[in-house]
Amino acid sequence: MIKIRVPATSANLGPGFDCLGLALNIWNEISFEPANKITYHAKGEGAEKLNKGTKNLLTKAFTYVHEICGKELKGFNIQAENEILMSSGLGSSAAAIIAGLYGANELLNKPLNEDELLILATDMEGHPDNVAPALLGGLVVSVTSDDEIITRRYEIPEWSIVIVKPNVEWLTKTARAVLPKSISRTDAVYNIGRAVLVVDALRNSDLELLQNVMDDRLHQTYRLKHISGGMAAYKTAKQFGAAALSGAGPSIICFVPSEKAEQAKTEIMFRFEERGIATKALITSPSIRGVHRV
Ligand code: HSE
């Protein structure tokens, strides 16, 4: 039997659409125990939905590694204890994919290396920005090339991070469908420089710079206008620190001075709650670790 932990991740971080992602100290813990058939049981976040069957992203990824490596898969009892909010923009799908791939690879004595795991994960997820930090930990810049994914990983200092998730229906598929098919050169240039500077600010604990450059013209406005209370919450978050839509949303992520975290959380939540929208919120920090055995 093995047990692993996989972190939540926040992708985009404002201007780094599909390229930037940060691992967070929010974890799903999964154990794999040999058995006669595959069973799956989750506790915590998403348990009700996940426990409806054994086919989910984690078991698919777990089976996929066995197929690719030509190994017979007899059975496993897979138990998950989930902290990562689902459908929230915190990389719950990426965490499931990475957990399935990594768990299978460990149990088969590591036939695949990290680069190969990342390629499989990106194929399953469609883009590398969540799966890369879920695998590697830290702040990760990733770009897809012809047959490889080029990544650079940075261990950033402590940051106090507020996450607020409104309880609204918001599918990643919809979140991508509302984006324009093409963008202007002005908007591309706007994002390129800011994406570089977001990395610099995060690495150097420079909140003032982060507040000035964590802005975007490729996805946030298009998405926020479809998320009830989203724009108001985002604007409130910006008053406390550097804010962005986490991944494709609907959560708002806000980097704040630690002494302001509680107040920021309460006021961002209020922007949704005054519209009758329930929220889940937490204060977290970056994780330099990605998926690992415990
Ligand atoms: N980069 C992705 C997006 C993250 O914004 O759509 C969510 O999967």
Side-chain angles (χ1 to χ4, degrees):
M1 168 169 159
I2 65 161
K3 199 179 257 193
I4 65 170
R5 291 172 91 214
V6 62
T9 47
S10 183
N12 300 332
L13 301 170
F17 182 69
D18 278 1
C19 303
L20 284 186
L22 177 66
L24 300 171
N25 263 316
I26 305 167
W27 299 89
N28 286 356
E29 192 167 286
I30 302 103
S31 62
F32 301 85
E33 192 177 7
N36 297 327
K37 56 177 186 164
I38 290 214
T39 64
Y40 175 89
H41 188 261
K43 285 186 198 159
E45 290 301 328
E48 202 179 318
K49 187 172 169 200
L50 291 166
N51 289 337
K52 284 188 180 145
T54 51
K55 282 210 171 129
N56 55 53
L57 277 173
L58 193 156
T59 57
K60 272 188 204 158
F62 187 77
T63 310
Y64 191 31
V65 170
H66 285 78
E67 280 167 14
I68 282 185
C69 297
K71 300 283 182 188
E72 190 189 354
L73 173 56
K74 293 201 182 99
F76 273 91
N77 287 332
I78 303 174
Q79 308 243 18
E81 284 191 32
N82 295 343
E83 264 182 22
I84 306 174
L85 302 174
M86 287 180 74
S87 308
S88 61
L90 291 176
S92 64
S93 321
I97 291 168
I98 291 295
L101 298 178
Y102 182 85
N105 198 48
E106 290 293 300
L107 287 159
L108 294 172
N109 291 322
K110 304 188 188 172
L112 303 172
N113 64 30
E114 214 164 62
D115 291 343
E116 290 165 330
L117 288 176
L118 184 56
I119 288 172
L120 295 184
T122 303
D123 277 349
M124 289 186 74
E125 176 82 340
H127 35 86
D129 50 346
N130 286 106
V131 289
L135 180 67
L136 306 172
L139 170 67
V140 183
V141 183
S142 43
V143 295
T144 44
S145 182
D146 288 343
D147 52 4
E148 64 173 334
I149 297 156
I150 301 169
T151 59
R152 282 297 175 273
R153 169 184 177 275
Y154 305 99
E155 294 193 1
I156 65 168
E158 272 300 299
W159 281 88
S160 191
I161 299 172
V162 176
I163 306 276
V164 178
K165 185 212 168 202
N167 187 12
V168 292
E169 174 92 349
W170 184 245
L171 303 173
T172 301
K173 212 168 97 187
T174 317
R176 289 185 87 83
V178 298
L179 302 180
K181 297 259 179 299
S182 58
I183 52 151
S184 69
R185 183 190 301 176
T186 315
D187 286 353
V189 171
Y190 186 93
N191 270 53
I192 293 166
R194 282 172 176 75
V196 176
L197 293 173
V198 159
V199 173
D200 194 86
L202 286 171
R203 292 181 69 190
N204 292 306
S205 299
D206 190 340
L207 182 59
E208 197 184 329
L209 177 62
L210 196 63
Q211 270 181 294
N212 283 330
V213 297
M214 191 173 254
D215 217 339
D216 159 84
R217 287 198 185 159
L218 303 189
H219 70 108
Q220 287 191 167
T221 312
Y222 303 106
R223 289 168 163 173
L224 280 168
K225 65 182 178 196
H226 293 280
I227 300 168
S228 182
M231 191 55 89
Y234 169 66
K235 284 185 179 159
T236 296
K238 277 169 83 95
Q239 288 166 8
F240 286 92
L245 194 61
S246 185
S251 297
I252 301 289
I253 182 168
C254 184
F255 296 77
V256 288
S258 55
E259 67 279 7
K260 286 195 186 163
E262 275 300 336
Q263 194 195 350
K265 186 178 93 169
T266 308
E267 294 202 19
I268 301 166
M269 287 167 78
F270 182 67
R271 292 278 91 86
F272 292 110
E273 288 171 358
E274 67 186 351
R275 289 167 171 80
I277 299 162
T279 55
K280 283 191 177 174
L282 49 101
I283 297 168
T284 184
S285 56
S287 167
I288 57 169
R289 299 197 79 180
V291 66
H292 59 274
R293 278 174 85 150
V294 286

